[in-house]
C-alpha cells in the first residue's frame, strides 16, 4: 500500500441527455485531475454520462449504444488516472444504474446500484433493476468500496462492502437540493461511517435540471463520522481530497471545509442556479418579467439579474386602474437599482376591448373574478408577445403559497416558462428579500414592508381573502409537506374553518398547478413530479 | 359442490378518492346482485374502495382509517352474497394493493397483488409492496383463485393458484383503454386459461379519470381460452355470468357476448366517456369551446354534445382578418345541426390594441409568429372569460399531431381544462369524423374535405410547414409510441430531413406539452404521465 491516496471529487454540472458532450467533459476533467492536481483517482457523480434524471430518454433505443461509445471513449482517452464513473447500462434485457472503475483502458470493476428510490421526485424503478452484491476494488493497494446515492440511506450496502474488505467508500450521487438537505446528508454519513469505522467520500453534482437543483456540497467524513472536508455549494469544480495511512487505517487529511450556507443563502443560490441553467440550456438570450411593484416580482428580478446579468433581463410594468402610483414608482426603482431595461405598457385598451366585446354576452351577470383574471391574462399575453418577438423566456413570479391555494391566474400571471418562486412559501420570500439586501440594497424597503396585494380590484389585500401568511404557510407545510389531515392540523391549534378553507383551495387548484410552469424545488416537497395528485378527486376533507 | 355458480361482474364507474361514496355504491351493487340477479358472488374491480389510480392520495395519513371504516361497512351490510373487493391496505408499515373475500361479515380470504406495474402511466411501486403467494378460497364448494390486473400478464401468479387447487380464476382489474386493448386482453387470457386449463372471469371498471379512460369490456373465458361472454364497452352495469359443472370441471354457460367495437367506435366512445366524467366530476355545468370551422373543433363539438347534451355546450366563433367566410359558415352550420348555442365574437379590437401598444417596442422588428400567437391568445383569453363568468369548462381542440410538433399556441388555443383530441392523431381525427357521420350527419362534409389550416396568416395551410398528415403521423407513431431513433425511422423509407425536422419539433416542444391540459389517452402511448421527458435536454437527434 502506498502512503497516500489522492482523489478528486468531480463536482460537475452535467447536461441531461447530452452523452457526447458529457463524455468530453469527463475526459477533460480526468486529464486536469491527473496533470494539474496530481490525483490518482477521480470520482464522478451518479449517471454522469447521461445526466440526472434522464427520465424516459433511458427508454430510447439508442441510449445504450451511445453509452457504449462514450464508455469506450473514456477507456481510450483516460490514462494515468483511475476514473470512477456512473452511467445506465443494459445487460440481458435489464437496465441498471451502474458505475465502472476505469484504469488505463481497462474496466477494473463494475457496480450496480442496489437501492432504487421510487418516491417523491424519483422514479428509478420505472427504469432500473436492482443490482446485487457489493463492489470492492483494490486501487493503489487500497481496497475501495463503491455505492451509489440511495444505497447509503440503508445500512446493508455499506456493510456488504465492509464485509468484503473495503477500507474506504466512494459514493456517487445525484442528490437534489432542498432546504436543510446537506445537514441531513452529513448526519447520515456520520452514522454510516461510524457503523463500519470507515472513511467516506461523497461526490455530488451541481446545477439546475427542470424542477431539480443540485447543490454539490461534495464532502468527506473520517472513520468516526467527522466531516473533514466540504466542497462549496452550487459551484462546479474539481476538489482534491487526500488520505494517509495511520496505524493501518486510511485517514483523510483535513482540507478546505466550506461553511454550510444559511437557509436563506442556500435557497437563494438554488434559485439563481435554477434560473441560470434553465434559461441558458434551453437556448434563450435572456428573460422578461412583469414587475408589479410587489415583493414577489422584486425578488425574481434580483434572482434573474444575479443569474444572467442585468443586460439579459427586461422588466415590464403593465399598470391598470387598480395599480397604485406607489407600485409604479417602486417597480421603476427596482429596475433602476439593478440597471435592467424597463418599460411601461398600460393594459387598459386591451381590457376595455375584451369587456366591450363580451358585454352583450355578460349582460345581467355581475362583476366577479372574471374581470380580475382578464387583467392578468392581458398582462400574460403581452409578456408572451415580447417573449416571442425577442426570444426571451418569460419568468413567472408566483410563490408556493399562491400556487398552493390557486391565488394566481392561469394563462395570466402564470403564463411563462419558469416559475422562480414556485416552491418558495411567501414567508420565505420576505426572508430572501431581506437576505438579498444584506448583500447590497436592491429591493426597496417599502416593497418588503407593504401589505401584499394583487391589485386586481380597488383596495384589494391578499389577507382579505386568505389568512395571514405565517398562518397560511404553516397550514400548507403541514398539509403539503407532511400529508397531515385537516383534523390533525386543527388539533395543532389552528382555526378549524380556516384549515378547511385552505385545504379545499389546495385540492381544488390541482388543475391550475398541472398547467403551471416548472420551477426549482427547494422544500422537502414541491409541486410537480414530487406530488402527484389526481385533478378529478372525490377525496373529502376531514379526518 | 353445487351444480351452478352464479357470479356478478360489477363493471362500475368508481370515483377516485371518494371512499365513503364508493362503499355505498359497492353495498348497493351487492344487494342488487343478490336480490335482483340471484347471484352467489359479486366481483368488484381493482382498488374499488379508493378508485384507480389514487396516486398520492394513498400517502395521506387517513387513507388507511377510511378504508378500514369502509371495509367494516361492507362486512356489516353485505350479507347473503360473497363480495370480492379491492382496496389499498397498510400492514406492518407496508402498503399493498389488496383484495378481500367477504361473506356474511367475515373475511374469508385476503390477496395482495404480486406484480406491480411501474411503467408507462403506472406508478405502483411508488406506493405498494409486492404480495407473495396465491389466494385460493372455497366458495360454494368451488376452489376459487384470485389475481389482480398485472398479475395475469405473467404466468407465475396463475400457476401458483392452480397449483393450490383453484378451479376458476377471478381477476380484478383497473385496466385503462387504448386502441386495440380489448383484443390484447382476450389474447392474453386465452393463453393463460389454456396454460392451466381453467376458466377465468375478468372484471374491469368503466369511466374517465383525468388522462385515463376505462372501457369495461369485462369478460369470461373457458378453460380452453375461448371467450364465452363479453360485457359491453363503456357501459356501467352488473353482468351475470354462470358456470356449471361438467365432468368435474367448471364450464361457463355462454351468455351475451357484445361485439367488439371497431377502432373508430371504441376511440369515439372513449372520448365521450372522458369528457363526460371529467366535466361532471369536476363540477362544471357545461362546456364552451372555440369553433374555427376546422375539423378538430367540429369533432370536439360532436363529442361534447354526445357526452353532455346540446343544452350544456356553447360554441364561439372568433373570426379575424384571416378567417375565411367558408370557415364562419361551416362553424355556424356545425352548431346549428347539433343545436348548441353559438356566438360570434370578432377579436380584431383586442389584437389591434395589443399591436398598437407593442408597436414602439417592436419597431424595426419584422412580422413573425408573434402576431399569429397573439390572435390565438386573444381567443384563449376570451374563452376563459366566458368560462369564468358562466362556470363552463373550456374544451381545447388540439390533436395529438399538433401537440407532438408544437403546432399550437400556449395560453392560446391550448388554453382550457380538457383537451379532447390530445391523444388522437390527425389522420384518426378524419376517420372519427367519418365514423360519427355514419351515426347521423353532424359534421359538414366540406369541413372534412378542406385542407387543414390554422388561419393565422393569409392563405396558410398546415402542409406548408408540416409534411402531409399521413407521413407526419407515421413518423410520430414510430418516434413516440415505439421510441425509434431518427435513423431507424429514416430506414423505413422516410425522407431523412423530414424525419429530423419532425423529431426536433417533438423534442423542442416538451415545454408546451408540460403546460397542456389533460386529455383522454387512447393510444399505446399518450403524452402526460405516459411519456416523461425532460424539458431541458441535450439529447441529439440521429442514431
Amino acid at each position: 500500500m502506498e502512503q497516500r491516496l489522492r482523489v478528486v471529487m468531480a463536482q460537475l454540472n452535467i447536461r441531461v441527455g447530452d452523452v457526447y458532450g458529457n463524455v468530453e467533459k469527463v475526459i477533460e476533467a480526468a486529464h486536469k485531475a491527473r496533470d494539474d492536481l496530481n490525483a490518482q483517482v477521480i470520482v464522478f457523480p451518479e449517471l454522469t454520462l447521461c445526466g440526472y434524471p434522464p427520465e424516459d430518454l433511458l427508454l430510447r433505443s439508442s441510449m445504450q449504444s451511445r453509452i457504449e461509445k462514450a464508455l469506450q471513449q473514456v477507456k481510450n482517452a483516460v490514462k494515468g488516472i483511475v476514473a470512477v464513473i456512473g452511467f445506465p447500462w443494459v445487460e440481458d434485457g435489464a437496465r441498471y444504474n451502474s458505475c465502472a472503475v476505469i484504469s488505463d483502458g481497462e474496466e477494473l470493476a463494475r457496480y450496480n446500484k442496489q437501492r432504487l428510490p421510487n418516491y417523491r421526485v424519483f422514479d428509478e424503478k420505472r427504469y432500473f433493476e436492482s443490482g446485487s452484491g457489493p463492489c470492492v476494488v483494490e486501487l493503489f493497494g487500497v481496497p475501495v468500496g463503491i455505492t451509489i446515492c440511495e444505497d447509503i440511506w440503508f445500512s446493508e450496502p455499506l456493510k456488504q462492502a465492509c464485509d468484503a474488505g473495503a477500507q474506504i467508500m466512494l459514493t456517487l450521487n445525484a442528490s437534489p437540493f432542498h432546504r436543510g438537505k446537506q445537514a441531513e446528508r452529513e448526519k447520515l454519513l456520520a452514522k454510516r461511517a461510524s457503523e463500519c469505522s470507515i472513511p467516506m467520500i461523497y461526490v455530488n453534482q451541481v446545477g439546475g435540471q427542470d424542477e431539480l437543483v443540485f447543490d454539490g456540497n461534495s464532502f468527506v467524513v473520517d472513520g468516526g463520522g467527522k466531516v473533514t472536508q466540504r466542497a462549496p455549494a452550487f459551484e462546479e469544480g474539481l476538489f482534491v481530497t487526500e488520505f494517509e495511512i495511520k496505524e493501518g487505517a486510511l485517514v483523510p487529511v483535513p482540507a478546505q471545509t466550506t461553511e454550510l450556507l444559511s437557509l436563506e443563502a442556500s435557497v437563494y443560490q438554488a434559485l439563481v442556479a435554477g434560473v441560470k441553467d434553465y434559461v441558458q440550456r434551453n437556448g434563450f438570450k435572456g428573460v422578461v418579467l412583469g414587475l408589479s411593484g410587489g415583493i414577489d416580482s422584486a425578488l425574481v428580478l434580483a434572482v434573474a439579474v444575479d443569474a444572467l446579468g442585468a443586460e439579459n433581463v427586461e422588466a415590464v410594468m403593465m399598470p391598470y386602474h387598480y395599480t397604485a402610483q406607489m407600485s409604479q414608482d417602486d417597480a421603476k426603482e427596482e429596475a433602476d437599482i439593478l440597471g435592467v431595461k424597463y418599460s411601461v405598457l398600460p393594459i387598459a385598451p386591451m381590457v376595455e376591448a375584451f369587456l366591450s366585446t363580451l358585454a352583450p354576452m355578460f349582460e345581467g351577470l355581475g362583476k366577479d373574478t372574471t374581470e380580475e383574471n382578464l387583467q392578468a391574462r392581458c398582462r400574460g399575453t403581452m409578456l408572451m408577445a415580447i417573449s416571442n418577438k425577442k426570444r426571451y423566456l418569460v419568468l413567472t413570479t408566483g410563490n408556493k403559497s399562491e400556487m398552493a391555494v390557486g391565488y394566481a391566474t392561469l394563462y395570466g400571471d402564470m403564463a411563462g416558462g419558469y416559475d422562480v418562486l414556485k416552491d418558495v412559501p411567501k414567508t420565505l420570500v420576505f426572508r430572501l428579500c431581506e437576505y438579498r439586501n444584506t448583500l447590497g440594497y436592491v429591493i426597496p424597503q417599502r416593497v418588503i414592508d407593504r401589505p401584499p396585494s394583487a391589485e386586481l380590484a380597488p383596495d384589494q389585500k391578499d389577507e382579505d381573502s386568505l389568512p395571514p401568511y405565517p398562518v397560511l404557510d404553516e397550514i400548507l407545510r403541514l398539509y403539503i409537506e407532511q400529508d397531515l389531515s385537516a383534523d390533525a392540523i386543527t388539533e395543532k391549534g389552528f382555526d378549524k374553518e380556516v384549515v378547511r378553507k385552505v385545504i379545499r383551495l389546495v385540492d381544488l387548484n390541482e388543475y391550475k398547478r398541472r398547467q403551471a410552469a416548472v420551477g426549482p424545488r427547494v422544500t422537502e416537497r414541491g409541486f410537480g413530479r414530487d406530488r402527484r395528485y389526481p385533478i378529478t378527486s372525490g377525496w373529502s376533507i376531514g379526518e
Side-chain angles (χ1 to χ4, degrees), chain A:
Chain A
M1 197 187 281
E2 298 189 5
Q3 290 308 297
R4 293 236 162 186
L5 185 66
R6 254 176 100 81
V7 178
V8 156
M9 304 186 285
Q11 181 167 300
L12 300 182
N13 190 340
I14 307 292
R15 196 174 156 87
V16 163
D18 185 15
V19 178
Y20 301 136
N22 294 338
V23 74
E24 279 177 33
K25 190 160 192 166
V26 160
I27 291 168
E28 191 192 325
H31 288 166
K32 195 168 171 215
R34 178 193 63 194
D35 301 337
D36 303 352
L37 303 172
N38 202 24
Q40 295 157 288
V41 180
I42 181 166
V43 184
F44 293 93
E46 180 179 12
L47 293 186
T48 289
L49 293 182
C50 64
Y52 195 93
E55 305 190 70
D56 282 7
L57 288 174
L58 287 170
L59 308 179
R60 296 223 63 84
S61 50
S62 56
M63 177 61 94
Q64 175 67 10
S65 60
R66 293 183 190 203
I67 293 290
E68 283 172 17
K69 271 188 230 169
L71 199 60
Q72 192 56 50
Q73 275 180 266
V74 174
K75 287 183 188 168
N76 295 345
V78 177
K79 302 281 165 77
I81 186 167
V82 175
V84 182
I85 183 164
F87 48 83
W89 191 259
V90 177
E91 204 162 304
D92 296 332
R95 192 184 298 105
Y96 297 98
N97 184 331
S98 297
C99 76
V101 181
I102 311 278
S103 173
D104 289 327
E106 296 299 316
E107 185 174 321
L108 301 185
R110 177 73 67 107
Y111 175 71
N112 294 326
K113 188 176 183 178
Q114 299 186 68
R115 301 290 179 141
L116 302 172
N118 207 65
Y119 52 82
R120 300 283 166 97
V121 299
F122 301 108
D123 279 315
E124 291 199 19
K125 290 183 182 171
R126 182 175 171 90
Y127 308 107
F128 300 116
E129 305 292 323
S130 298
S132 56
C135 170
V136 178
V137 57
E138 194 169 294
L139 300 180
F140 308 101
V142 179
V144 174
I146 297 174
T147 53
I148 301 177
C149 211
E150 188 79 359
D151 284 332
I152 54 159
W153 293 80
F154 299 84
S155 292
E156 191 59 23
L158 178 59
K159 200 173 164 301
Q160 289 172 348
C162 293
D163 288 349
Q167 288 188 20
I168 180 171
M169 291 300 302
L170 307 180
T171 171
L172 286 65
N173 302 274
S175 172
F177 171 79
H178 63 70
R179 54 183 176 191
K181 182 73 169 281
Q182 181 63 8
E184 286 175 34
R185 290 181 194 128
E186 294 186 4
K187 199 174 150 197
L188 176 78
L189 255 74
K191 184 161 177 278
R192 289 282 168 269
S194 309
E195 281 169 8
C196 296
S197 299
I198 193 170
M200 301 177 73
I201 300 177
Y202 183 102
V203 178
N204 194 21
Q205 65 175 11
V206 287
Q209 172 60 28
D210 291 350
E211 292 178 345
L212 301 182
V213 182
F214 298 90
D215 53 329
N217 266 318
S218 301
F219 66 106
V220 179
V221 293
D222 66 18
K226 185 172 169 293
V227 174
T228 60
Q229 183 173 356
R230 183 188 300 119
F234 301 106
E235 197 175 293
E236 187 167 33
L238 302 178
F239 300 96
V240 179
T241 182
E242 202 170 22
F243 291 78
E244 55 185 14
I245 296 146
K246 281 188 182 164
E247 298 165 15
L250 280 170
V251 177
V253 178
Q256 187 200 15
T257 306
T258 312
E259 236 184 295
L260 276 182
L261 295 174
S262 69
L263 185 144
E264 290 81 5
S266 65
V267 171
Y268 192 86
Q269 291 195 26
L271 303 182
V272 170
V275 169
K276 185 164 191 263
D277 281 342
Y278 193 85
V279 171
Q280 294 182 346
R281 292 199 164 160
N282 284 299
F284 289 96
K285 292 194 325 195
V287 296
V288 57
L289 72 155
L291 281 194
S292 68
I295 190 167
D296 298 309
S297 57
L299 179 59
V300 171
L301 183 71
V303 170
V305 169
D306 288 340
L308 306 167
E311 68 280 14
N312 296 312
V313 179
E314 267 200 51
V316 185
M317 156 52 83
M318 292 168 284
Y320 189 59
H321 308 329
Y322 311 125
T323 309
Q325 185 58 46
M326 193 199 289
S327 301
Q328 300 197 46
D329 296 344
D330 290 347
K332 182 166 190 325
E333 191 183 342
E334 292 161 20
D336 286 349
I337 295 176
L338 286 164
V340 304
K341 188 175 170 206
Y342 176 76
S343 316
V344 180
L345 300 173
I347 58 166
M350 291 66 108
V351 175
E352 309 313 331
F354 276 110
L355 288 176
S356 67
T357 298
L358 287 162
M361 189 183 266
F362 287 0
E363 213 187 318
L365 302 170
K367 266 201 179 184
D368 54 21
T369 52
T370 305
E371 288 74 16
E372 302 185 14
N373 287 332
L374 196 51
Q375 297 162 46
R377 291 198 178 106
C378 285
R379 294 189 176 110
T381 298
M382 192 98 81
L383 289 175
M384 289 306 298
I386 298 168
S387 164
N388 287 167
K389 190 64 87 186
K390 302 193 173 181
R391 311 228 148 267
Y392 272 26
L393 181 79
V394 175
L395 293 182
T396 67
T397 62
N399 60 60
K400 186 178 194 177
S401 315
E402 292 173 352
M403 287 302 107
V405 297
Y407 206 71
T409 301
L410 257 180
Y411 328 127
D413 50 312
M414 287 176 69
Y418 195 72
D419 183 359
V420 181
L421 306 179
K422 184 176 187 182
D423 200 33
V424 181
K426 185 80 169 191
T427 45
L428 184 53
V429 168
F430 284 98
R431 290 165 64 185
L432 293 180
C433 287
E434 301 278 10
Y435 163 77
R436 179 60 186 82
N437 275 354
T438 66
L439 309 180
Y441 183 76
V442 296
I443 299 167
Q445 192 60 40
R446 186 165 72 172
V447 172
I448 302 176
D449 295 338
R450 278 177 76 187
S453 165
E455 294 196 329
L456 293 168
D459 299 322
Q460 195 176 37
K461 300 275 174 295
D462 291 7
E463 297 193 356
D464 297 343
S465 49
L466 293 173
Y469 278 113
V471 173
L472 176 66
D473 280 357
E474 184 58 12
I475 294 172
L476 292 174
R477 192 183 68 80
L478 294 169
Y479 186 64
I480 294 165
E481 292 188 41
Q482 301 205 356
D483 283 326
L484 292 191
S485 68
D487 290 355
I489 296 170
T490 304
E491 275 167 32
K492 288 186 180 286
F494 294 94
D495 179 79
K496 185 176 167 176
E497 286 317 307
V498 169
V499 170
R500 283 173 181 254
K501 181 187 170 184
V502 168
I503 291 180
R504 194 160 44 243
L505 287 171
V506 174
D507 289 357
L508 272 177
N509 284 290
E510 183 58 32
Y511 77 99
K512 281 194 195 175
R513 289 189 294 271
R514 202 67 78 86
Q515 294 189 35
V518 294
R521 174 176 175 268
V522 300
T523 73
E524 272 192 85
R525 199 154 189 208
F527 296 122
R529 300 268 153 101
D530 209 355
R531 188 176 185 272
R532 303 180 192 175
Y533 268 65
I535 296 175
T536 309
S537 170
W539 183 259
S540 56
I541 295 167
E543 90 283 29

